[in-house]
Amino acid sequence: MNWETLPDYDALSRRAASILLEAIRSDPHAVLGLPTGRTPIGMYDRVVHECSKQYHCFREVTTFNLDEYVGIPREHPGSYFTFMKQHLFDHVDLDPARTHIPDSMARDPKDECARYERTIVAAGGLGLTFLGLGSNGHIAFNEPGTPFDSRTRVVELTPSTRKANAPLFAGDRVPTRAITMGIGTILDSRQIVLLAGGKDKHEAIARLQSGERTIDFPASALWKHADVKVLVDTTAM
Ligand code: GLP
């Protein structure tokens, strides 16, 4: 695991954006795994900014989001589909047919999970996946207790995760379930970049740094992977 400490959130976002842009420059057919949450917003802003200054081609790039809530329409302001449109999809030349997010309204969410796994394989597998970090160590929506070989599936969200994500559902009930890539699905990505900024990630980062590997702390699965970069800002250290 390769650790980089950046002085602040802005520097972390710039570094993450440069990794993403370099990946699509060196491979225009890159397959990216993409996160949502507050942490990657700066990375997406920076990517969009750089693309407006200097043309970067996303046309042949394929993206797979890590997760999506179950049972809310794509257009809902709290959906990850809406998030991705706002922060990336509407601002770069990604082909909508190459952007993938689990279908929140699938009639059979279990079938949707199997279809999602098949689509990743058909695209050649994830090349570079960016992750955020939950304060309890979750990655995507893989909560503590998730086996490291888990695949894309429907999960119940913990009260703490629902609380953390509640601001996106002002007035509406926060969804109780989500479809998430499994830890095994994420570990199949050839490269992984974990982003963690801010004081509320300090404990989780300290636990990750300890090297302990346990399913009680999902991010510790990343120690099993040969190519993981962790970008942290000084407040998270
Ligand atoms: C959500 C997402 C995760 C994300 C986490 C941390 O639960 N499903 O993928 O990493 O929140 O979010 P934030 O970056 O807002 O702290």
Side-chain angles (χ1 to χ4, degrees), residues 34-40 66-69 80 131-135 138-143 157 161 164-165 180 194-195 197 200-201:
L34 295 179
T36 49
R38 284 162 289 258
T39 313
L66 299 172
D67 44 15
E68 177 59 286
Y69 295 105
Y80 286 163
L131 300 175
L133 178 66
S135 40
H138 76 226
I139 48 175
F141 271 133
N142 295 290
E143 300 283 10
L157 301 175
T161 296
N165 294 334
T180 182
L194 177 80
L195 312 176
D200 57 335
K201 301 297 162 69

Side-chain angles (χ1 to χ4, degrees), residues 153-199:
R153 67 204 188 288
V154 180
V155 291
E156 297 288 330
L157 301 175
T158 62
S160 74
T161 296
R162 293 182 67 219
K163 193 168 162 216
N165 294 334
L168 295 165
F169 292 90
D172 281 351
R173 253 172 61 81
V174 187
T176 55
R177 293 190 304 157
I179 291 177
T180 182
M181 279 188 201
I183 295 179
T185 318
I186 293 167
L187 291 178
D188 283 347
S189 179
R190 286 183 280 285
Q191 282 179 286
I192 297 174
V193 177
L194 177 80
L195 312 176
K199 276 202 302 288

Side-chain angles (χ1 to χ4, degrees), residues 50-125:
E50 289 299 317
C51 290
S52 66
K53 277 201 320 198
Q54 196 197 339
Y55 183 63
H56 286 85
C57 188
F58 273 90
R59 215 173 26 236
E60 306 292 332
V61 171
T62 300
T63 66
F64 287 91
N65 267 79
L66 299 172
D67 44 15
E68 177 59 286
Y69 295 105
V70 168
I72 54 160
R74 280 183 359 158
E75 299 69 30
H76 188 286
S79 78
Y80 286 163
F81 178 81
T82 298
F83 176 101
M84 291 309 294
K85 267 176 74 65
Q86 275 171 358
H87 294 289
L88 186 69
F89 295 169
D90 281 354
H91 312 288
V92 295
D93 61 342
L94 267 163
D95 174 355
R98 290 180 183 272
T99 62
H100 304 275
I101 301 185
D103 180 359
S104 53
M105 297 299 279
R107 199 172 315 152
D108 185 339
K110 252 178 118 179
D111 273 2
E112 171 59 8
C113 297
R115 187 197 64 83
Y116 206 63
E117 286 274 334
R118 283 196 305 272
T119 315
I120 295 172
V121 171

Side-chain angles (χ1 to χ4, degrees), residues 201-216:
K201 301 297 162 69
H202 173 77
E203 258 176 55
I205 281 296
R207 194 158 177 201
L208 180 61
Q209 228 173 1
S210 76
E212 169 201 25
R213 294 182 195 194
T214 166
I215 64 166
D216 295 337

